[in-house]
Amino acid sequence: MKRETTPKWSRGPIEAPIWVAALAVMFFILGATGALSSAQAAIIDYAVIAGILALSLNLLMGYAGQISLAQASFLGLGSFVTGFVVSHAGSFGLPLSLLLSVVIGAIIAMVVGLPAMRLRGVYLAIATFAFADAFDNYIFNIQKISGLGSGVTVTRPHIGPFHLKTDATLLAFSLLWLAIVWLLDTRLMSIRYGRALLAIREDEQIASSFGVPVTQEKMRAFLMCGAIAGLAGSLYAYQVQVIVKSSYALQISLFYLIVVVVGGLGSRPGVVVSAALFTLLPYWFTFLKGWDFVIAPALLIITLVRNPGGLPDHLQRLRDARELKRRRETKEDIAGLRPKVVGTERPAATVTEELLRVEGISVTFGGLRAVNDASLEVTTGAAVGLIGPNGAGKSTLFNVISGFEKPRSGRVFFEGRDITLAPAHERSALGISRTFQHVGLVRRATLVDNLMLAQHSRLDYGAIAGLTALGDTRRLEAESRTNALDLLDEIGLADFADLRVEVLSTGQQRLVELACAVASRPRLVLLDEPSAGMSPAAAEHLAEQLARLRTNFSTALLLIEHHIPLVTAVCDTTYVLDAGAVIASGPVRKVIKQPEVVTAYVGEAV
Ligand code: ADP
Ligand code: MG
């Protein structure tokens, strides 16, 4: 099959920043020739700065799904830092003010983000709100720090030949920064750190099952958000020249929240255009003044009701659904495709040794003992079943093994190592991967991105290298992409690689999940009811597919499954869990005939 192997980030994304830079040159010339009035240039500059600030909030809210009501505080920080630096640093004022605004913005944003380690949604919003309030009412009021009173005056800088004295040159300068931020933002979303954010937005458990250190990545999102907002604040200070604290009041934070949501959470062009329009329209259509504060919330409500992801998200989904249909029509039946064997498998294990040992695990929820002193063992390369009636505690035991649930007592050993207390993402990096009873994929990311996400811990380049595409980044990304496409090929879904997961059928999503589970070359795959939600026809293929996974990747399987024929076909031995306790274990066919197992299943079909 002919296919695109160039990573998408080595082309394409450069175009938009080039256009923005071209605009900068154009405005610079228009300003120099007097064709653009100073007042107009200033207004457009505000729109550009608003665009930068919107990108910073979009990074946090749109990509990472974290909420912040303190965006104006970061903007204010950048402005006040700039005011302070300009009045003290003389001719190095410009570079120093930009640098310090970015650094201080990043540091303070991490402090604001600390509650995000624990809090989510509304609670996080309240925590950031408290911070914004503190800045609004106290920090920005401290005379010594902010120099407030009648406002801080910022003189416009010039370094050597660069005079940023006129509004048109400042506008050109801001546009160049917009181009840079845009470029970095695009890069971010095409490397592992960006994919990690999308996974966190979707579901933190899914993210850590892919090997993403959730807390760390959330902090990184706050850091980047604060850095960009600090930059915007600095540019804003040079434009307004007189900084007063009312420009950074709470309602400004809310205004940007609306801008980003209406523009479309996660849509780069969407939020920039939205920010520009929200800024420019009230200036250009003066009758809108005052009304914009009615129109904006109305737009917010309409967006949230009609399509929480905004218009760009909606359009993307429609496009993907259409593409799915078109590509399906042009190709023969998917289910009939025979998966081919990939050549990158690890050599089969020759000796069987202990891989996973679970000893005396108990888990309680309030008064309920969901798992009761359960022990089990999986040797290298083995396929072991875990069966039992609904509510027996199977999924809970999986959660203990993969690190999502802390047991009340008992230990988990993997390759002889006690991992009872290891965080989930570390277990994934050690070689334990899992699927969920409900599809555990990033639904709003493409198939190929999901498969690359599943290789998160194998792509060990740093953030700076990633953003600048230095070092091994390109090679590692390209390899991971090739691996992803190979796996998609194997499950017969390579044609849909660039479509978002959400447009696929449940059965297809299940297959993608399986591919993700082996993408990181794990030693052990935990499968939680993989046939759930599959059509009978697709489920029939599953046994074959699981057996192939096992041999191709010489990985061990621990399989929770209700469909007993599937267990019989895939597994050699099985454990039976009932009311949290292991009541039987041994060869599948023998175990399912035991009277206590049959009794446990009374009322359910074995
Ligand atoms: P299974 O996967 O075997 O169907 P589960 O492990 O999902 O069973 O659930 C075992 C028992 O624990 C059930 O009674 C379920 O209601 C309960 N349970 C599971 N998760 C939680 C939770 N987070 N909080 C409270 N009870 C839970
Ligand atoms: Mg379950």
Side-chain angles (χ1 to χ4, degrees):
M1 185 186 313
K2 189 179 164 292
R3 71 180 180 216
E4 194 68 68
T5 47
T6 328
K8 64 172 182 266
W9 52 295
S10 66
R11 55 191 160 80
I14 195 74
E15 284 159 22
I18 285 179
W19 277 108
V20 176
L23 273 182
V25 175
M26 185 189 86
F27 281 126
F28 182 81
I29 295 170
L30 284 181
T33 56
L36 181 72
S37 78
S38 188
Q40 285 291 353
I43 292 167
I44 301 173
D45 193 22
Y46 287 131
V48 173
I49 295 167
I52 298 178
L53 195 65
L55 281 178
S56 81
L57 187 57
N58 179 52
L59 197 157
L60 192 68
M61 280 183 64
Y63 301 156
Q66 309 297 305
I67 197 163
S68 160
L69 292 179
Q71 205 62 12
S73 308
F74 304 147
L75 186 77
L77 263 175
S79 292
F80 283 116
V81 167
T82 299
F84 183 84
V85 171
V86 166
S87 50
H88 289 82
S91 58
F92 288 108
L94 180 68
L96 199 60
S97 65
L98 288 172
L99 181 69
L100 280 181
S101 299
V102 166
V103 171
I104 294 177
I107 293 172
I108 299 298
M110 295 232 290
V111 176
V112 179
L114 283 178
M117 286 161 70
R118 284 293 169 98
L119 304 179
R120 243 150 265 164
V122 175
Y123 301 103
L124 178 59
I126 293 169
T128 60
F129 184 85
F131 173 89
D133 188 48
F135 257 71
D136 195 10
N137 285 317
Y138 303 103
I139 309 287
F140 289 160
N141 274 341
I142 302 173
Q143 290 269 343
K144 271 201 192 116
I145 296 180
S146 64
L148 270 169
S150 54
V152 185
T153 306
V154 181
T155 44
R156 289 185 178 173
H158 63 99
I159 354 170
F162 297 106
H163 288 268
L164 296 179
K165 295 260 177 252
T166 69
D167 292 292
T169 47
L170 268 177
L171 165 58
F173 190 61
S174 301
L175 273 167
L176 289 179
W177 280 108
L178 176 64
I180 292 171
V181 172
W182 183 294
L183 188 66
L184 286 176
D185 187 291
T186 314
R187 269 281 142 78
L188 174 71
M189 294 322 286
S190 59
I191 60 176
R192 70 181 192 130
Y193 297 96
R195 292 192 292 268
L197 296 184
L198 295 184
I200 291 170
R201 173 182 76 180
E202 180 91 21
D203 183 321
E204 293 186 8
Q205 274 207 351
I206 293 175
S208 38
S209 79
F210 280 140
V212 172
V214 172
T215 310
Q216 194 183 323
E217 295 306 331
K218 277 204 264 186
M219 281 296 121
R220 208 192 299 275
F222 271 96
L223 179 151
M224 290 187 287
C225 166
I228 300 170
L231 170 73
S234 187
L235 295 172
Y236 184 78
Y238 286 118
Q239 181 52 255
V240 284
Q241 288 174 282
V242 178
I243 311 167
V244 288
K245 87 179 194 70
S246 61
S247 311
Y248 315 105
L250 273 170
Q251 71 261 29
I252 306 294
S253 291
L254 292 176
F255 170 76
Y256 278 98
L257 191 92
I258 294 176
V259 161
V260 171
V261 173
V262 172
L265 286 171
S267 164
R268 193 176 302 116
V271 301
V272 171
V273 169
S274 165
L277 290 182
F278 270 107
T279 313
L280 291 176
L281 292 185
Y283 276 110
W284 284 346
F285 303 100
T286 37
F287 64 85
L288 271 177
K289 278 236 160 118
W291 274 98
D292 48 343
F293 279 95
V294 178
I295 295 170
L299 281 175
L300 176 70
I301 292 166
I302 293 170
T303 312
L304 289 179
V305 171
R306 301 281 314 201
N307 202 306
L311 189 62
D313 187 61
H314 185 63
L315 293 178
Q316 182 68 40
R317 189 169 320 135
L318 290 182
R319 199 157 45 226
D320 279 9
R322 209 172 45 234
E323 273 299 298
L324 179 73
K325 199 156 162 269
R326 195 180 62 77
R327 292 182 205 181
R328 193 182 274 147
E329 275 161 9
T330 58
K331 105 197 248 303
E332 50 322 355
D333 183 23
I334 305 161
L337 267 185
R338 284 272 150 170
K340 76 168 177 41
V341 177
V342 294
T344 44
E345 62 273 14
R346 66 165 94 222
T350 42
V351 277
T352 51
E353 50 201 22
E354 175 193 302
L355 185 65
L356 174 77
R357 183 155 47 92
V358 172
E359 274 182 13
I361 291 290
S362 294
V363 179
T364 51
F365 296 116
L368 174 81
R369 244 176 201 259
V371 181
N372 189 2
D373 196 23
S375 301
L376 59 80
E377 215 181 290
V378 179
T379 52
T380 49
V384 178
L386 181 59
I387 60 174
N390 263 322
K394 304 181 297 290
S395 295
T396 306
L397 188 56
F398 261 27
N399 285 342
V400 170
I401 299 171
S402 51
F404 295 126
E405 199 72 69
K406 292 267 166 286
R408 210 179 127 99
S409 59
R411 318 237 115 237
V412 181
F413 296 90
F414 186 67
E415 294 185 313
R417 196 169 143 181
D418 188 343
I419 56 160
T420 318
L421 299 174
H425 67 91
E426 272 177 28
R427 301 185 201 210
S428 159
L430 283 175
I432 303 179
S433 73
R434 72 165 290 174
T435 67
F436 293 85
Q437 194 165 346
H438 304 287
V439 176
L441 294 171
V442 184
R443 292 165 42 81
R444 278 191 284 170
T446 62
L447 270 66
V448 74
D449 274 350
N450 269 277
L451 277 149
M452 290 172 79
L453 194 52
Q455 303 170 63
H456 185 87
S457 36
R458 279 160 48 99
L459 291 167
D460 56 348
Y461 54 79
I464 301 293
L467 285 175
T468 51
L470 290 174
D472 272 352
T473 316
R474 279 168 191 277
R475 186 181 55 79
L476 287 169
E477 281 285 321
E479 271 174 21
S480 129
R481 195 179 164 79
T482 309
N483 189 24
L485 290 168
D486 279 343
L487 283 160
L488 284 174
D489 219 0
E490 188 171 353
I491 56 171
L493 293 178
D495 277 0
F496 308 138
D498 59 337
L499 302 186
R500 300 210 280 187
V501 163
E502 63 190 348
V503 297
L504 299 183
S505 70
T506 313
Q508 290 169 323
Q509 292 186 14
R510 283 277 174 208
L511 286 181
V512 176
E513 225 188 344
L514 278 184
C516 282
V518 292
S520 58
R521 301 278 181 273
R523 309 271 294 146
L524 171 68
V525 182
L526 310 172
L527 300 161
D528 198 344
E529 302 200 19
S531 78
M534 276 195 169
S535 69
E540 226 165 75
H541 277 283
L542 195 58
E544 199 185 320
Q545 243 133 2
L546 290 180
R548 189 175 290 109
L549 283 185
R550 189 181 154 201
T551 42
N552 283 3
F553 297 92
S554 54
T555 173
L557 301 179
L558 184 56
L559 173 70
I560 296 181
E561 187 50 64
H562 246 69
H563 192 54
I564 298 295
L566 185 60
V567 183
T568 323
V570 177
C571 303
D572 322 309
T573 59
T574 188
Y575 288 85
V576 184
L577 210 58
D578 185 32
V582 175
I583 57 164
S585 66
V588 184
R589 281 169 210 283
K590 236 161 131 185
V591 164
I592 54 172
K593 291 201 188 88
Q594 290 179 19
E596 61 272 34
V597 176
V598 177
T599 319
Y601 267 104
V602 166
E604 297 198 30
V606 179

